[in-house]
C-alpha cells in the first residue's frame, strides 16, 4: 500500500516556505485562515488605543480592556489570577482582556509585594470591588445617556442593556464614566454566578515565555546601558583589603573597574537600615563592561586580597552551638498553655526527639540582577524584586533622594522563593549607577548567587510529648535557629489547642552568614519534624495514625479558642480527603505510604507519599495531595503551584546538602548541589476541597508537609526513622526491612 506524500492547502493558508540546512522545506500555515474562508485574524489587544478609566483599568473604543497586574509575578500566577478578579466583577470576556504589569505606585495600589502566599488573600475583595465599581460607573454613564434610571440597566460581557433592549458597549461610554462620582454601595457577585473565577485560565505570559520574548529582568535593555559584575568576599567574615585590576582594565570590552560600599556602609551604620537589605559593610569591586560577558571575564582577571574581619564560621561549629542551645535554658517562651513540666512529671512515658536541618540557598533559575539609572531628575530602577516599595525606600535612603524621585518598574521573575524579598542586589545596582553616571545592569552569576547570597537558616528542633493512660497530655517544642526564630503565628498552628499542656520555646544563634526567608519560612522544616514526630507517637501509643490526628482535632473543636490559627474542621476535611483519594493503608504489596497533615499560610493541606524500594533504596512513586485553600480562582494555576511545591519540598528534603567551612559555602553551582532531577519526580495527584470561603495562599503550603510524608513512608519501607536533612545523606547503609 502506497502512502501519498502530497499536502493539500488553500492558497490563502500558505504563508511562507524556507529552505532548511538539511535541504528540506519548512512550510508555514495560518491555521485561522485554513479553517474557513471568512475567518478573521485575532485582534492584537496590545496594539489598541485604550482610554484611561482608573489606575487598574483602561478600555478601548472596541470594548477591549487593559487590566494592570499590581503585584510582582514570581511564577505564582498572580499576574493572571489577580486581573481575573477585576474582570469577573467588571463583567467582560476574558478573551477581551489584555494584562499589563503595573509599576510601583504607592498612591493607587496597596500591598505591592509577593511573599507569604498572601497576594490573592489580601486582594480578594479590593480587586473585585474595583471591577464592580467600574462596571457600575459604566452602567451609570450609559443610563445618563439614555435618560433612564441606572437600576433599570444591566451589563454583561462588556455590553450594557436597558429595559427597552437597547445596547451600548463599554468602549462607547468609558470617557463619560471616568468622570462620574465613584459609587459607594457596590454589591459583589455570588460565587455561584462566577464565569471567570474558577475556570482554567492559561498564564497570560505563556506565549512570551515559550517563545523567548523579553519578560524577565535579564531581558531588560536600554540604549547606552552597560553591565556590571560585582566581586564580593569569598567567605563570610572577610572584607576587602586590596586588589589589582591592571589586567582586567586592558581586556576588550571592559570599561572600568571601581569599588562600591561607601554609601551602603553609611546607610547601615547611620541608623538608616532597611529590613529588606542584607548587606555586609565591606567594599566590593565592580567590573563594568560593554556586555555582561565582558564584565564577568574582567572580574575573573582581577587579583584580590581579603582579610578576616569576624569569625570564619563552619557548620560543625553551628551544629554544636545549636545543640547546646537546645539543651540550655536561654529560651524565649512563645506560647504556654497549662503546665508542661507537671504533665511530663506525671506521665507514664515521655517521647523526645531532635530534628536537624541545613542551610539552603534559594537557587532561583534567574540569578540576581537589576537595572539602575541615576540622573538629577530621577532614579529609574527596573528588575525582579518581591518587595518593590522596600527597594524604593532603601535606594532613596542610600542616595539621599526624596522617595518621589525613585521610579520602579517590575519585570517577571525567574523564581523568588524569598530570595528577592531582600534588595541587596538593587542597592548594589543603584550605587554602581550613581558612581559611574551611566545606565547599568548588575548581573550575578550562579556562583555569585550560591556563595554570597541569603540562605535558609540552619535549624534544630527538640520535640517532647508526654503520654498518660494512653493519651497525649503534654507537648513541648523547642527551636534553636541561626539568626532568628519562627514568626509570631507559628506557635498557634497545630497542635495548639489540641493538647492541654502545650509550650513553644525558641532561641537564636547569631551568625555573620546572611540568612532570610526561604519558601514557607520555618514551617518548611518544622512540618517535617512535627509530622515525623506524630507518626512516631502514634506508633509508641499503638494507635491509628489518622485517628490520632482526628481525635486531637476533635479536642480543638470542643474547646474553640482565638489562639488557634487554623480550622480543625478544614484540617479534618483534607485529612479525610487524602486518606480516601490515596487509598491510604490499603495499597498493594511493595508500596509504603507516609502521611502528613499541616496548616500554614492560611491553607490546610494533607499529603500521602507512596514509596517503593529500587535496589534497596527508596523511590517516591506517587504523592496524593488534598488542599483546602478556599475558592480556587484559577484551577490551572493552582494545580501548577500545588505540584511545584510538592516537588520542591521533596527535592530539598531528600537531596539538598549545603554547609560552610571557614565561612566558605560547600557548593557554588548545580554540579555540586543537587536539586531534584526529572527521573526522581513522582506522579502528583492533587485534589481541592470545594469551598465558598475567600481564597488563601498556594505558593508555599504544599511544600512543608511533603517532607514528613516522605520520611514516614521511608520508615515503613526501611524501618529507619529520619531525623536529619537531607534524607539521602542520612539513610544508614543496612539491610532494609521492606
Amino acid at each position: 500500500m502506497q502512502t501519498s506524500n502530497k499536502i493539500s492547502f488553500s492558497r490563502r493558508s500558505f504563508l511562507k516556505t524556507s529552505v532548511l540546512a538539511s535541504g528540506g522545506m519548512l512550510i508555514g500555515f495560518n491555521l485561522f485562515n485554513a479553517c474557513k474562508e471568512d475567518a478573521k485574524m485575532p485582534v492584537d489587544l496590545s496594539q489598541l488605543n485604550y482610554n484611561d478609566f482608573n489606575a487598574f483599568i483602561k478600555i478601548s473604543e472596541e470594548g477591549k480592556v487593559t487590566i494592570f497586574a499590581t503585584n510582582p509575578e514570581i511564577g505564582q500566577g498572580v499576574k493572571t489570577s489577580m486581573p481575573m478578579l477585576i474582570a469577573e466583577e467588571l463583567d467582560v470576556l476574558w478573551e477581551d482582556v489584555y494584562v499589563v504589569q503595573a509599576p510601583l505606585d504607592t498612591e493607587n495600589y496597596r500591598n505591592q509585594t509577593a511573599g507569604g502566599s498572601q497576594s490573592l488573600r489580601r486582594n480578594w475583595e479590593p480587586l473585585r470591588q474595583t471591577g464592580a465599581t467600574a462596571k457600575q460607573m459604566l452602567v451609570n454613564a450609559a443610563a445618563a445617556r439614555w435618560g433612564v434610571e441606572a437600576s433599570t440597566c444591566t451589563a454583561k460581557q462588556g455590553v450594557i442593556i436597558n429595559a427597552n433592549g437597547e445596547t451600548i458597549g463599554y468602549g462607547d461610554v468609558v470617557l463619560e464614566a471616568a468622570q462620574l462620582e465613584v459609587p459607594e454601595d457596590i454589591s459583589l457577585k455570588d460565587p455561584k454566578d462566577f464565569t471567570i473565577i474558577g475556570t482554567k485560565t492559561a498564564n497570560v505570559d505563556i506565549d512570551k515565555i515559550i517563545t523567548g520574548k523579553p519578560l524577565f529582568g535579564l531581558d531588560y535593555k536600554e540604549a547606552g546601558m552597560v553591565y556590571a559584575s560585582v566581586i564580593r568576599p569569598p567567605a563570610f567574615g572577610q572584607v576587602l583589603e586590596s586588589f589589582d585590576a591592571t589586567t582586567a582594565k586592558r581586556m576588550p570590552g571592559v570599561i572600568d573597574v571601581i569599588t562600591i560600599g561607601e554609601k551602603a556602609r553609611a546607610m547601615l551604620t547611620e541608623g538608616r537600615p532597611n529590613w529588606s537589605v542584607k548587606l555586609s559593610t565591606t567594599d566590593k569591586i565592580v567590573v563594568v563592561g560593554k556586555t555582561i560577558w565582558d564584565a564577568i571575564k574582567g572580574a575573573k582577571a582581577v587579583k584580590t586580597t581579603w582579610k578576616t574581619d569576624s569569625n570564619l564560621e563552619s557548620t560543625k561549629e553551628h551544629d554544636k552551638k545549636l545543640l547546646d542551645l537546645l539543651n540550655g535554658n536561654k529560651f524565649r517562651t512563645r506560647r504556654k498553655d497549662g503546665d508542661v513540666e507537671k504533665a511530663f512529671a506525671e506521665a507514664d512515658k515521655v517521647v523526645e526527639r531532635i530534628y536537624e536541618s541545613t542551610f539552603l540557598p534559594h537557587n532561583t533559575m534567574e540569578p540576581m540582577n537589576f537595572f539602575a539609572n541615576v540622573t538629577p531628575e530621577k532614579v529609574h530602577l527596573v528588575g525582579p524584586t518581591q518587595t518593590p516599595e522596600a527597594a524604593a525606600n532603601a535606594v532613596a535612603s542610600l542616595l539621599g533622594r526624596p522617595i518621589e524621585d525613585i521610579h520602579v518598574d517590575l519585570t517577571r521573575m525567574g523564581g523568588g522563593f524569598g530570595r528577592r524579598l531582600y534588595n541587596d542586589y538593587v542597592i548594589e545596582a543603584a550605587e554602581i549607577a550613581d558612581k559611574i553616571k551611566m545606565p547599568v545592569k548588575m548581573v550575578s552569576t550562579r556562583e555569585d548567587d550560591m556563595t554570597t547570597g541569603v540562605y535558609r537558616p540552619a535549624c534544630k528542633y527538640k520535640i517532647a510529648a508526654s503520654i498518660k493512660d494512653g493519651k497525649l497530655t503534654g507537648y513541648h517544642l523547642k527551636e534553636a535557629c541561626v539568626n532568628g526564630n519562627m514568626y509570631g503565628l507559628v506557635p498557634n498552628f497545630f497542635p495548639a489547642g489540641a493538647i492541654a499542656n502545650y509550650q513553644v520555646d525558641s532561641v537564636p544563634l547569631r551568625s555573620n552568614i546572611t540568612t532570610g526567608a526561604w519558601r514557607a519560612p520555618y514551617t518548611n522544616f518544622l512540618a517535617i519534624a512535627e509530622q515525623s514526630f506524630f507518626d512516631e507517637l502514634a506508633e509508641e501509643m499503638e494507635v491509628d495514625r489518622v485517628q490520632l490526628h482526628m481525635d486531637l482535632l476533635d479536642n480543638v473543636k470542643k474547646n474553640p479558642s482565638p489562639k488557634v490559627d487554623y480550622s480543625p474542621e478544614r484540617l479534618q476535611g483534607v485529612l479525610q480527603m487524602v486518606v480516601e483519594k490515596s487509598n491510604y493503608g490499603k495499597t498493594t504489596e511493595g508500596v509504603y505510604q507516609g502521611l502528613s497533615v499541616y496548616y500554614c499560610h492560611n491553607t490546610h493541606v494533607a499529603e500521602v507519599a507512596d514509596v517503593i524500594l529500587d535496589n534497596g533504596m527508596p523511590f517516591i512513586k506517587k504523592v496524593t495531595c488534598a488542599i483546602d485553600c478556599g475558592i480556587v480562582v484559577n484551577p490551572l494555576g493552582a494545580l501548577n503551584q500545588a505540584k511545584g511545591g510538592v516537588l520542591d519540598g521533596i527535592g530539598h528534603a531528600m537531596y539538598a546538602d549545603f554547609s560552610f567551612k571557614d565561612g566558605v559555602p560547600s557548593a557554588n553551582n548545580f554540579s555540586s548541589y543537587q536539586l531534584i532531577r526529572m527521573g526522581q519526580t513522582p506522579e502528583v495527584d492533587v485534589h481541592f476541597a470545594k469551598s465558598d470561603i475567600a481564597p488563601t495562599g498556594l505558593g508555599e503550603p504544599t511544600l512543608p508537609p511533603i517532607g514528613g510524608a516522605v520520611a514516614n513512608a521511608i520508615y515503613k519501607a526501611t524501618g529507619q526513622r529520619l531525623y536529619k536533612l537531607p534524607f539521602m545523606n542520612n539513610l544508614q547503609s543496612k539491610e532494609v526491612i521492606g
Side-chain angles (χ1 to χ4, degrees), residues 230 650 656:
V230 180
I650 290 172

Side-chain angles (χ1 to χ4, degrees), residues 667-688:
N668 66 5
N669 210 319
F670 296 130
S671 57
S672 51
Y673 179 86
Q674 185 177 348
L675 292 174
I676 192 169
R677 306 294 197 246
M678 290 294 289
Q680 296 162 335
T681 58
E683 172 192 353
V684 182
D685 183 24
V686 179
H687 302 270
F688 293 98

Side-chain angles (χ1 to χ4, degrees), residues 297-314:
K297 286 188 289 185
K300 291 180 179 179
V302 176
K303 298 176 182 177
T304 59
T305 302
W306 307 91
K307 63 181 180 181
T308 300
D309 180 63
S310 58
N311 291 338
L312 301 178
E313 300 177 9
S314 299

